[in-house]
Every structure is written in structure tokens, then in C-alpha cells.
């Protein structure tokens, strides 16, 4: 009897492994088709200047909008896109589309300061030998002011091969773009690299911001990250600002910028444009 059960369980396991593999293969094919058919869209989440309450910029976040209208979030496809290399053409599309849109909005809705556009770069994209020339070509092609472009890398990207990372970041700086370190605190940054990478922006991961009002340690961690950024002359963005209380605490800690559901969810381009037309981004509190 034990033997039967054992066999049964083995088969179950086998089937699920098979389903998983087939599922991934299907997903890869469907993602490839989706890219060809133009089914990816960007949503834009506002990033606010906390002292003035002004809209400072947006982060471009990719979604797969199926013909049925269903939206698929990056958590459900970015990893497969990474594993299959599809992230390279997808990432290039994101870069071009985000820069093209922002260049257009700069012209149509000029504000006191041009909005920044933050774009996520995956590890695999960063490893491409021609990344810098791709970025350079897109800047020329779209006419975007390079100082408004913020490329978001994560600690895993930056630590992999530090000598190359330093060289590539230098070349990206030479193009005039800015570099943000995303999800800061979740990886294994060597503090000395923070300085050597000459980062412009440090994004405090949502997991820390959530803990701001949960325990004294939560507050101290954010405070420590913010003073680290300040001492290095790096701007700080708090991710995952969800409540008025989070905002108050971040303001009291002199955090430069905030991003999160409290201000706005990631918006389709049409909704962001409506906000820009309203001139809401010109309001100060
Ligand atoms: P991320 O770069 O850290 O982006 C922030 C994520 O947090 C977004 O999820 C955003 O919707 C979510 N978020 C923002 N504010 C809040 C909040 O107040 N509360 C909560 N609970 N969540 C908040 P999203 O759009 O699902 O993206 C997830 C991740 O997928 C991104 O994390 C980024 O790592 C990756 N990603 C998104 N777009 C791209 C892309 O174009 N290229 C690459 N390589 N990765 C991307
Ligand atoms: Mg990001
Ligand atoms: Mg992030
Ligand atoms: Mg994050």
C-alpha cells in the first residue's frame, strides 16, 4: 500500500513538473507574439517631490494588455522574459516608448521643471555589450532631454561585475542620463560601491517604508538609509508610500521624493495626460 501511494505521488509530481515546463513554453511563445502584436503597454506611476507636493516625474511600468482587455502584471512574466532573453527586445521597446512619450509630454505640458522618466533595466539588459549605444541612439531618436532619464538598476545588477558596472555607469553618465538604485536595502550592496558607482538616486524599498510606523526599528532603518544617501549626495525616493502617516514621517525625515498608492497607482498614459492637462502637477501644498 505504501508502495502504491508512493508511486501515485511520484506521478503527481511528474505531471506537475511537466505542466510547469509546458506552461513556461506556452508563456514564452505567447509573450513573443504579444510583443510582435504590440500588446505591451506602459503605465506611469507619479513620483512626488515631498516638500512641495509637486509631481517630479514618473516611473514607467510595463503591462501586458491581452486583446481580451485583461492586464497581466510584470510579476507574472518578467522572470520568464528574463530567462528566455525576450527581456532584451521587450526592454528596448520599454526604453524607446517611455522616452518617446516623455519627450512628447515635455513639449505639450511644460511645467516649472521637466518631468523625469524612470525606466527599469533588467540584469540581462545591463549585461548587453551595446547597452550604452542603444540608450544613446534612443536619446537622439526621441529627442528626450537626457538629464530627465533615470535608469533604474538593482543591487544584483550592480554587484555582479563591479569593474564593468563602474565603466558602463560612467558611459551612461557621459550620455547625460541619471542612475537610480532600485529596491535599495533588499540586496547585498557593498557600501563602498554606492559611492564608486556614482549613483544619482537611491530608492528605499517598499518593505522598509511599510515598517516606518510599525516599530521604532523600522523608522531607524529608513532614517539611516536617508542619511546615508544625504551624506553621499544622492537623492532619495521612498517607494510604497501608502498612508498619510508614511508621508508625514518621510517629510519629517527630509526625504526628497515619494512614490506609492497614497499619491497614485501606476496610470495608463491617458490618465497621466489628463492629470497633466489639469495642471495638477503644478499644484503645491
Ligand atoms: P519596481 O521597479 O520596484 O516598481 C515598483 C512596483 O511597486 C510596481 O509594481 C508598482 O506598481 C508597485 N507599487 C508602487 N507603489 C506601491 C504601493 O504603495 N504599494 C504597493 N503594494 N505596491 C506599490 P509592478 O508594476 O507590478 O512592477 C513590479 C516589478 O516589475 C518592478 O518593481 C520592476 O522590478 C519590474 N518591472 C516593471 N516594469 C518593468 C520593465 O519595463 N522592465 C523591467 N526589467 N522590469 C520591470
Ligand atoms: Mg523600479
Ligand atoms: Mg522599486
Ligand atoms: Mg520595490
Amino acid at each position: 500500500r505504501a508502495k502504491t501511494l508512493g508511486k501515485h505521488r511520484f506521478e503527481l509530481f511528474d505531471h506537475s513538473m511537466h505542466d510547469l515546463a509546458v506552461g513556461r513554453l506556452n508563456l514564452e511563445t505567447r509573450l513573443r507574439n504579444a510583443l510582435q502584436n504590440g500588446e505591451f503597454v506602459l503605465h506611469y506611476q507619479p513620483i512626488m517631490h515631498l516638500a512641495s507636493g509637486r509631481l517630479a516625474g514618473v516611473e514607467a511600468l510595463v503591462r501586458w494588455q491581452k486583446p481580451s482587455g485583461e492586464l497581466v502584471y510584470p510579476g507574472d512574466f518578467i522572470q520568464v522574459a528574463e530567462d528566455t532573453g525576450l527581456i532584451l527586445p521587450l526592454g528596448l521597446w520599454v526604453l524607446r516608448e517611455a522616452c518617446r512619450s516623455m519627450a512628447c509630454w515635455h513639449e505639450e505640458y511644460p511645467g516649472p521643471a521637466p518631468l523625469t522618466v524612470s525606466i527599469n533595466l533588467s540584469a540581462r539588459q545591463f549585461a548587453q555589450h551595446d547597452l550604452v549605444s542603444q540608450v544613446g541612439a534612443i536619446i537622439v531618436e526621441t529627442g528626450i532631454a537626457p538629464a530627465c532619464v533615470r535608469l533604474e538598476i538593482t543591487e544584483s545588477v550592480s554587484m555582479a561585475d563591479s569593474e564593468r558596472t563602474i565603466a558602463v555607469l560612467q558611459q551612461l553618465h557621459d550620455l547625460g542620463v541619471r542612475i537610480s538604485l532600485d529596491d535599495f536595502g533588499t540586496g547585498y550592496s557593498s557600501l563602498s560601491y554606492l559611492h564608486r558607482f556614482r549613483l544619482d538616486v537611491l530608492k528605499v524599498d517598499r518593505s522598509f517604508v511599510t515598517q516606518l510606523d510599525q516599530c521604532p526599528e523600522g523608522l531607524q532603518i529608513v532614517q539611516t538609509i536617508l542619511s546615508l544617501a544625504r551624506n553621499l549626495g544622492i537623492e532619495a525616493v521612498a517607494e510604497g508610500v501608502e498612508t498619510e502617516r508614511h508621508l508625514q514621517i518621510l517629510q519629517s525625515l527630509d526625504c526628497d521624493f515619494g512614490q506609492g498608492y497614497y499619491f497614485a497607482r501606476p496610470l495608463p498614459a491617458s490618465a497621466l495626460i489628463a492629470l497633466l492637462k489639469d495642471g495638477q502637477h503644478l499644484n503645491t501644498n
Side-chain angles (χ1 to χ4, degrees):
R1 171 158 161 83
K3 212 174 173 184
T4 322
L5 236 185
K7 182 166 176 265
H8 187 59
R9 278 159 85 180
F10 181 76
E11 279 178 352
L12 258 182
F13 171 74
D14 213 17
H15 279 150
S16 66
M17 287 299 282
H18 177 73
D19 290 351
L20 196 68
V22 170
R24 283 176 74 94
L25 198 65
N26 279 337
L27 181 56
E28 181 187 352
T29 309
R30 288 186 296 136
L31 288 174
R32 219 168 272 287
N33 290 335
L35 187 59
Q36 259 169 17
N37 299 338
E39 293 173 17
F40 286 99
V41 295
L42 294 182
H43 283 189
Y44 298 91
Q45 187 176 33
I47 298 176
M48 312 302 291
H49 182 242
L50 297 185
S52 66
R54 258 202 299 111
L55 178 66
V58 294
E59 177 173 2
L61 295 158
V62 71
R63 276 96 180 82
W64 173 17
Q65 185 151 36
K66 293 186 176 177
S68 65
E70 186 198 341
L71 265 195
V72 186
Y73 290 83
D76 289 332
F77 63 83
I78 282 286
Q79 190 57 53
V80 170
E82 278 262 326
D83 295 346
T84 58
L86 194 67
I87 194 72
L88 299 182
L90 177 61
L92 192 61
W93 176 83
V94 168
L95 197 60
R96 182 176 288 120
E97 175 65 13
C99 291
R100 192 190 60 74
S101 299
M102 187 50 81
C104 186
W105 299 334
H106 281 160
E107 279 206 8
E108 292 196 34
Y109 314 104
L115 298 178
T116 60
V117 59
S118 298
I119 301 161
N120 294 285
L121 280 193
S122 78
R124 196 118 175 213
Q125 273 178 286
F126 195 84
Q128 290 174 102
H129 66 93
D130 60 346
L131 173 73
V132 176
S133 61
Q134 282 180 17
V135 174
I138 285 176
I139 288 169
V140 172
E141 174 190 323
T142 61
I144 183 111
C148 297
V149 177
R150 299 190 159 175
L151 301 179
E152 298 199 351
I153 61 171
T154 59
E155 290 166 278
S156 60
V157 167
S158 52
M159 300 307 140
D161 174 355
S162 61
E163 289 312 314
R164 176 180 179 270
T165 302
I166 289 167
V168 172
L169 293 181
Q170 180 61 53
Q171 291 164 20
L172 290 170
H173 273 130
D174 293 344
L175 292 177
V177 306
R178 307 286 150 88
I179 308 296
S180 301
L181 190 57
D182 205 355
D183 305 337
F184 181 73
T186 59
Y188 1 63
S189 286
S190 151
L191 289 183
S192 70
Y193 286 148
L194 278 187
H195 182 58
R196 291 184 65 208
F197 288 156
R198 301 207 310 122
L199 300 165
D200 302 287
V201 183
L202 199 154
K203 297 188 80 170
V204 183
D205 190 67
R206 172 160 62 88
S207 57
F208 300 111
V209 175
T210 303
Q211 289 176 55
L212 266 180
D213 53 357
Q214 312 258 305
C215 55
E217 294 78 19
L219 184 102
Q220 278 159 12
I221 290 171
V222 174
Q223 198 163 24
T224 303
I225 298 175
L226 292 177
S227 51
L228 175 71
R230 197 167 301 124
N231 290 334
L232 291 170
I234 300 174
E235 284 179 353
V237 180
E239 304 190 89
V241 180
E242 290 188 346
T243 65
E244 169 89 44
R245 186 78 192 118
H246 289 160
L247 171 61
Q248 285 168 349
I249 299 172
L250 289 165
Q251 281 175 323
S252 76
L253 296 176
D254 275 331
C255 179
D256 304 299
F257 301 95
Q259 175 179 358
Y261 294 169
Y262 176 72
F263 303 111
R265 299 222 166 210
L267 305 168
S270 58
L272 182 71
I273 290 169
L275 197 142
L276 297 177
K277 271 190 181 147
D278 260 19
Q280 276 187 38
H281 59 305
L282 307 179
N283 288 354
T284 54
N285 61 10

